[in-house]
Amino acid sequence: MTFPQIIQGGMGVAVSGWQLALSVSKRGQIGVVSGTALDLVITRRLQLGDPGGHLRRALAAFPNQDIANYVADRYFIEGGKAPDKPYKSKPIIDHNPRRRAQELLVVSNFVEVFLAKEGHDGLVGINYLHKIQTPTMPSIYGAILAGVDIIIVGAGIPLEIPGIIDRLVQHEPVEMKLHVKTTEGTRIDRITFDPKLIFEESRPPEKRPSFFPIVSSATLATLMVKKCDGGVNGLIIEGPTAGGHNAPPRGRPNLNEIGEPIYGPRDDIDLDSIGSHGIPFFLAGSYGSPDGLVRARAAGAAGIQVGTLFAFCEESGLRPDLKHETIAKCKAGTASVFTDPIASPTGFPFKVLSMAGTASEEDVYESRSRVCDLSYLREAFEKEDGTIGWRCSADDEKMYVRNRGKFEDTVGRKCLCNGLMANIGMGQLRKNNVEEVPLLTCGDGVSSILKIIKPGESTYSSSDVIDFLLNGSESSMTARATAHQATS
Ligand SMILES: Cc1cc2nc3c(=O)[nH]c(=O)nc-3n(C[C@H](O)[C@H](O)[C@H](O)COP(=O)(O)O)c2cc1C
C-alpha cells in the first residue's frame, strides 16, 4: 500500500483531536487523533455541553445504543457545567476493570475516530502510548468499530499489538501482558478484553487497520518487523528532538550542564537498515520543513511525521491563549524547550516548553498538592500478599512509599495527566476554585512555526502547514521567520 507523505503526529491529550485530524485527512495527508485518555476527554467535553452537538451525533452512530445512551445520560450537561463546579469523575481502568469503564473506552475511541473520518475518504490514524497498558485493548476495539485506518503505537515495544488487532477485527477475545513491578524486578501478568461485552450477537468482521509502531532505533525496528510476522505495515522512526516523550539515550544516562539527557552517536539511527525491511517508513523529530521532507525522501523514507508545527495551528486542541503565547515567544526569540529527564512518571524524557504560569515553573508546580486522580500513568506493583496494586510516582510521596515505591523515584515527578488536560482547557478545579495548571510540550524546533505564519498574521491553519511542507521554499520561509522576529 502507498501512503501520503505527511503524517500529522498523534499529540496527547487531545491536542490532535478529531478537528485537527479531520482537517489534515481532508487535505489528503494522514490525520491522527490521540487515543490517550479519550474516555476522560469525551466525558469532560460532554460536561461542557458538547457545543455543536458533535459528540452526540457520533454517539448516535455507535452500534450499541444502550451503551451510548448510558454515556450521554451520565455525562452530558445541557449548556455545560457551572464554571465553579469541578468535573465529575469517571471510572478508572485497572487490571480487573468494571464493565462500564471498558464500555466508556470503546465508545470514546469510536466517537473520536468517527468524527475525524466524517465526510471524506482520507486516511485517519489513532495514536496510543504502549506504556499505558490497561485501556489499550478496548480503545483499539472502539477505533476499529469506527473504521480507523492506521493504529500507531509509541512509547514501548508493542509486539503484541498486531495480533490483538487481527483478533479484534474478528470480534474475538484478546489478552496482553501486564508488567507488574516487584521488589526484585518485574513480573508478567495478563489482562483481557472480550468484545462480547459490547455485542452479544455475532457481527461481520471489521476492516483491518494498518499498524505502525514508533521506534527510535534500527534494532527495535528489526525486532518489530521480525517478531510481528507481517503485522507491521509501516514504521515511524522518531529522534530525540521530537515533541512529547522521547526515547532515553542508549547506554548510561549522562546529563548536560542544564540537566538534559545527552544523546550521542549511539543514538544515530541506521536508516539503511530500516530501509532494508521493505516497509514504508516515516521520519519524525525536526523533519517539519520542505527541506526535511526532501531529506527524508532522499534517505528512502515514504515521508515524515510532524507534530510541533500542527500543535499550534488553529485546529489543534490546545487552549488558544497558550497557542498565542507560544507564537509570541517564538517571535520574541524567547521560546525555550527543556528535555526533562524525570518529570514524566513513565520514566521517559519529556520535553517541556517554558512558560510563565505553567507547570514548567517549579514554584507554580510546587504550589499544587500532589494527588493522582486520573491515573493513566500509574504502574502496577506487587503487594505484600502477591496481589496487584497501582501507584504513580507523581502522587503524594507518602502514598507512593506506602505502595512499596522508593521515595527517590518521586523527586521531580510531575502530574502529566492533569497538566495535559489543562492544556486543552479541561483542567480540574481544586479546592478554593484553583484550576490545575498546564504543562506544555513541543519539539526543539518550535520556532519554525514562524516560517508558516503569513506577514501581518498571528495564527495559521493546518492547511498552511501542509502547503509549507509540500510546496514551501526553505529560503523564503526562513526570511519570513526572520521578519516576524524583527517586527516583534
Ligand atoms: C504537543 C505534542 C504532544 C505529543 N504527544 C504525543 C503522544 O501522545 N504520543 C506520541 O506517540 N507522540 C506524541 N508527540 C510526538 C508527535 O506525534 C511527533 O512524532 C513529533 O512531534 C514529531 O517531531 P516534531 O515535534 O519535531 O514535529 C507529541 C508531540 C507534540 C508536539
Side-chain angles (χ1 to χ4, degrees):
M1 182 170 177
T2 51
F3 294 98
Q5 298 182 47
I6 300 169
I7 302 178
Q8 160 260 304
M11 295 178 282
V13 168
V15 172
S16 62
W18 63 267
Q19 292 94 334
L20 176 57
L22 175 80
S23 69
V24 172
S25 302
K26 274 184 162 173
R27 283 288 317 265
Q29 302 302 320
I30 303 176
V32 179
V33 295
S34 165
T36 304
L38 273 179
D39 50 346
L40 181 68
V41 170
I42 299 294
T43 57
R44 289 198 177 175
R45 283 190 194 141
L46 286 169
Q47 289 173 73
L48 290 175
D50 182 24
H54 304 295
L55 301 186
R56 282 163 292 158
R57 186 171 73 251
L59 284 170
F62 187 69
N64 180 330
Q65 279 299 291
D66 288 344
I67 296 176
N69 289 335
Y70 175 83
V71 170
D73 290 347
R74 182 153 178 79
Y75 297 101
F76 174 63
I77 300 176
E78 186 79 55
K81 71 172 186 67
D84 60 348
K85 287 272 178 300
Y87 291 99
K88 186 192 273 191
S89 63
K90 51 115 214 132
I92 285 174
I93 189 151
D94 63 11
H95 54 292
N96 214 352
R98 296 197 341 239
R99 182 189 186 111
R100 290 294 186 200
Q102 298 187 72
E103 289 175 355
L104 180 60
L105 280 162
V106 176
V107 171
S108 309
N109 281 262
F110 173 89
V111 163
E112 196 75 352
V113 173
F114 173 89
L115 292 172
K117 281 193 72 70
E118 210 177 15
H120 64 90
D121 297 327
L123 295 176
V124 169
I126 191 161
N127 173 292
Y128 299 108
L129 296 175
H130 195 54
K131 271 265 174 178
I132 303 180
Q133 295 188 285
T134 47
T136 302
M137 293 181 288
S139 297
I140 291 180
Y141 188 56
I144 286 175
L145 291 177
V148 75
D149 300 290
I150 308 174
I151 290 181
I152 299 173
V153 184
I157 309 175
L159 287 172
E160 294 173 292
I161 301 295
I164 288 172
I165 296 173
D166 289 340
R167 291 183 66 85
L168 285 178
V169 295
Q170 303 288 343
H171 311 282
E172 289 172 5
V174 283
E175 58 171 39
M176 68 183 266
K177 285 180 189 158
L178 176 72
H179 299 265
V180 182
K181 286 273 163 67
T182 64
T183 37
E184 296 81 39
T186 305
R187 97 178 190 218
I188 303 291
D189 277 44
R190 310 290 301 174
I191 44 177
T192 57
F193 170 70
D194 189 346
K196 288 266 171 318
L197 198 80
I198 308 296
F199 307 110
E200 278 165 14
E201 72 284 5
S202 70
R203 289 177 67 83
E206 306 288 337
K207 178 189 79 181
R208 196 235 189 232
S210 298
F211 170 61
F212 288 17
I214 304 176
V215 294
S216 56
S217 75
T219 316
L220 258 186
T222 305
L223 180 73
M224 287 304 307
V225 172
K226 295 232 160 102
K227 287 258 166 118
C228 292
D229 201 16
V232 174
N233 311 101
L235 291 159
I236 297 171
I237 317 295
E238 194 182 71
T241 60
H245 285 97
N246 302 135
R250 312 285 169 262
R252 258 228 333 242
N254 278 318
L255 301 181
N256 66 14
E257 64 286 354
I258 57 165
E260 297 175 306
I262 299 176
Y263 292 84
R266 286 181 68 190
D267 300 297
D268 291 345
I269 302 167
D270 179 353
L271 295 180
D272 290 338
S273 160
I274 304 250
S276 71
H277 300 302
I279 290 174
F281 65 95
F282 295 80
L283 299 182
S286 304
Y287 279 90
S289 66
D291 179 53
L293 180 55
V294 170
R295 272 188 295 121
R297 301 272 301 173
I304 54 179
Q305 170 164 287
V306 176
T308 300
L309 295 185
F310 286 108
F312 301 95
C313 76
E314 285 146 13
E315 294 88 347
S316 102
L318 279 181
R319 248 169 49 187
D321 61 317
L322 298 174
K323 293 183 203 174
H324 291 151
E325 183 61 24
T326 305
I327 292 170
K329 273 180 164 296
C330 291
K331 286 187 176 178
T334 57
S336 142
V337 180
F338 177 66
T339 307
D340 194 323
I342 51 175
S344 171
T346 62
F348 284 108
F350 184 69
K351 290 238 194 289
V352 177
L353 175 67
S354 306
M355 190 176 289
T358 71
S360 64
E361 296 195 312
E362 289 313 314
D363 54 335
V364 172
Y365 190 73
E366 292 302 318
S367 66
R368 171 187 190 269
S369 306
R370 288 178 75 124
V371 57
C372 174
D373 59 345
L374 300 181
S375 306
Y376 291 94
L377 299 179
R378 293 186 309 175
E379 62 181 10
F381 73 95
E382 186 180 70
K383 294 198 207 166
E384 264 161 49
D385 62 3
T387 58
I388 295 176
W390 290 88
R391 66 185 181 208
C392 178
S393 52
D395 195 359
D396 175 67
E397 295 93 334
K398 283 201 201 95
M399 181 72 82
Y400 188 73
V401 172
R402 208 175 304 146
N403 285 332
R404 312 189 90 191
K406 294 192 192 115
F407 176 81
E408 55 269 32
D409 291 341
T410 66
V411 177
R413 295 282 193 232
K414 292 187 171 164
C415 175
L416 262 57
C417 297
N418 277 293
L420 299 188
M421 289 305 287
N423 288 348
I424 55 166
M426 294 187 207
Q428 183 59 294
L429 269 191
R430 302 291 180 196
K431 246 193 249 155
N432 304 325
N433 269 354
V434 175
E435 201 175 324
E436 289 280 357
V437 289
L439 178 55
L440 279 173
T441 181
C442 66
D444 289 344
V446 62
S447 294
S448 296
I449 58 181
L450 297 185
K451 296 181 185 172
I452 304 167
I453 302 172
K454 298 189 182 90
E457 296 191 359
S458 53
T459 64
Y460 62 98
S461 67
S462 64
S463 237
D464 293 334
V465 178
I466 293 168
D467 289 339
F468 166 63
L469 296 173
L470 293 178
N471 312 318
S473 118
E474 199 74 41
S475 54
S476 64
M477 298 301 176
T478 304
R480 182 186 273 183
T482 314
H484 277 300
Q485 289 186 323
T487 53
S488 84

